[in-house]
Amino acid sequence: METTPRTSENGPVTVGVDGSDAARTAALWAAGEAVRRDRPLHVVHGGDTDGRNLYLTAATLDGIRGAGRELLAATARAVTAEHPGLDVTTEYSSADPVTSLYRAGGLYGTVVVGHRGRGGFHSLLLGSVGLGIAAIARTPVVVVRGVGEGEERGAVVAAVRDGNDLVCARHAARGAELRKATLSLRHVWNVLESVGNVIPMLDAMAGLAGEHERVLTSLTDTVHEEFPGLTVEGEADKSVSVAGVLVEASRGADLLVMGGRRAPGRLGLGRNLGRVTHTLLHHAHCPVLLVPRTTAGDAAGSP
C-alpha cells in the first residue's frame, strides 16, 4: 500500500506563544496557514520551569504552570473563533521556549514564532526565542512580521543564491500555489563580494553577470516545469547590499522564503545564522520562511 511521504508541507503547523501581542498575531497567522495546508495546528508554551524548580516555591511553580495552560486555552479559543473547523491541540512544556519548540517541531511540519519577545529590550528586536529556534530548527521556521500592514499582495518572493536553493524555491512555489499568488525568484549578488577590492574590467563584470543570470534561469525553468500552473518570474539584481534589496522586495510580498544558512558547530544565540538572514528576520515587511539548508558550502557563506 502506498503512503504519502512525510514532509514539512504535510506535517502540522506548530506555533509558540508567550502572552505577547506578537505571539498572538503569530498564532492567528499560523492558524490561517494550517487551514491553507489542511493541516492541524499545534500551540506550544514553554514555561521554563525545569531549571527553576530548585529556587522557586511549589506554589510559584504551580502558578507558572497554571498561567501557561490558561494562555494555551485562550489561544486555542481565539484561533478556533477565527477558524471553527480547525483541528487545534495544545502543549505545555516545562522546558525553555526554544527547546520546547525544537522538540515539538520534530522532523516534520513548520514552526511559527512572533517577531518580538515579551517586554524589555528584546521587545524592540526579534525575540531571543525567534532567533534561537531559527538557528537550530530541523524544520522550516516562519517569523511572522508585517501582518496587518495592508491587504494581501498576491505575491511570494524567494531569495535564491545557487542551485542548492531549489528546495527553497519549491517551498516558495507551494506557498504561492496555496495563496493563488505569483512567485518571484530573486537572485541578488553583491558586486563587492564577487570582485573583492579590485575594480573589475567591463568584460569581467559582464562575465559575472552572465553567470548569475544562468543560475537564475536554471532555477526559474525548473520551477516552471514542476509547477506549470504557477506564474513564476525571475529577477537578478546586483547591489552592494543583498539584504537591502530583499527587505525592499518584501514590501510587496505576502511571504518571503529563503534558505536558513548555518555554520555547524558555532554555538550561541543566532550565531550560526548569516548576516542577510539576520537582517531579514529583523526588518522584513512580511512573514519570513526559513528553509533549513546545511550543505557544506553554507558553513562560511551568507545569507
Side-chain angles (χ1 to χ4, degrees):
M1 185 172 98
E2 291 187 6
T3 58
T4 302
R6 295 185 69 186
T7 68
S8 60
E9 282 88 359
N10 61 31
V13 177
T14 298
V15 62
V17 294
D18 61 4
S20 65
D21 290 341
R24 178 183 173 86
T25 299
L28 292 172
W29 186 94
E33 185 69 5
V35 170
R36 273 190 289 268
R37 299 185 186 188
D38 193 23
R39 304 307 304 158
L41 176 70
H42 188 52
V43 187
V44 177
H45 174 71
D48 197 15
T49 54
D50 278 349
R52 297 189 286 174
N53 55 9
L54 295 179
Y55 58 89
L56 293 179
T57 65
T60 299
L61 291 171
D62 285 343
I64 292 172
R65 296 183 188 107
R69 293 190 174 103
E70 175 52 35
L71 171 62
L72 290 168
T75 303
R77 289 193 296 269
V79 297
T80 52
E82 291 281 337
H83 306 283
L86 180 61
D87 178 9
V88 182
T89 57
T90 63
E91 176 185 348
Y92 175 85
S93 168
S94 59
D96 65 89
V98 173
T99 301
S100 300
L101 284 171
Y102 180 80
R103 291 171 177 168
L107 296 174
Y108 305 99
T110 299
V111 175
V112 180
V113 293
H115 74 287
R116 291 186 178 182
R118 284 193 64 193
F121 176 74
H122 283 301
S123 70
L124 303 176
L125 303 170
L126 174 63
S128 58
V129 174
L131 272 180
I133 194 63
I136 67 172
R138 297 165 290 180
T139 59
V141 172
V142 179
V143 175
V144 177
R145 303 188 52 83
V147 175
E149 290 187 1
E151 296 182 358
E152 290 189 352
R153 291 89 164 184
V156 172
V157 173
V160 293
R161 186 177 64 172
D162 55 38
N164 290 318
D165 274 324
L166 180 57
V167 172
C168 171
R170 285 172 174 148
H171 272 271
R174 294 183 188 106
E177 279 191 329
L178 289 173
R179 290 167 171 79
K180 296 180 173 56
T182 61
L183 173 62
S184 175
L185 301 182
R186 298 296 293 266
H187 176 74
V188 188
W189 54 288
N190 189 321
V191 179
L192 298 180
E193 224 172 54
S194 299
V195 301
N197 295 321
V198 180
I199 298 176
M201 299 295 290
L202 290 178
D203 58 347
M205 181 64 81
L208 284 170
E211 180 180 338
H212 287 283
E213 288 283 359
R214 284 190 291 274
V215 167
L216 180 61
T217 298
S218 176
L219 284 169
T220 304
D221 289 347
T222 300
V223 174
H224 263 305
E225 292 173 4
E226 295 184 5
F227 299 85
L230 186 64
T231 299
V232 184
E233 302 169 348
E235 185 172 349
D237 303 275
K238 59 178 183 292
S239 173
V240 296
S241 173
V242 174
V245 172
L246 294 175
V247 167
E248 190 60 29
S250 73
R251 290 184 185 275
D254 298 312
L255 183 68
L256 173 66
V257 185
M258 62 189 304
R261 295 176 176 82
R262 300 167 181 177
R266 294 178 62 186
L267 301 178
L269 180 61
R271 288 184 182 177
N272 59 356
L273 294 175
R275 296 184 302 277
V276 175
T277 303
H278 262 282
T279 301
L280 268 294
L281 292 181
H282 284 90
H283 300 293
H285 297 277
C286 68
V288 179
L289 168 60
L290 293 181
V291 180
R293 176 181 172 181
T294 54
T295 60
D298 295 324
S302 69

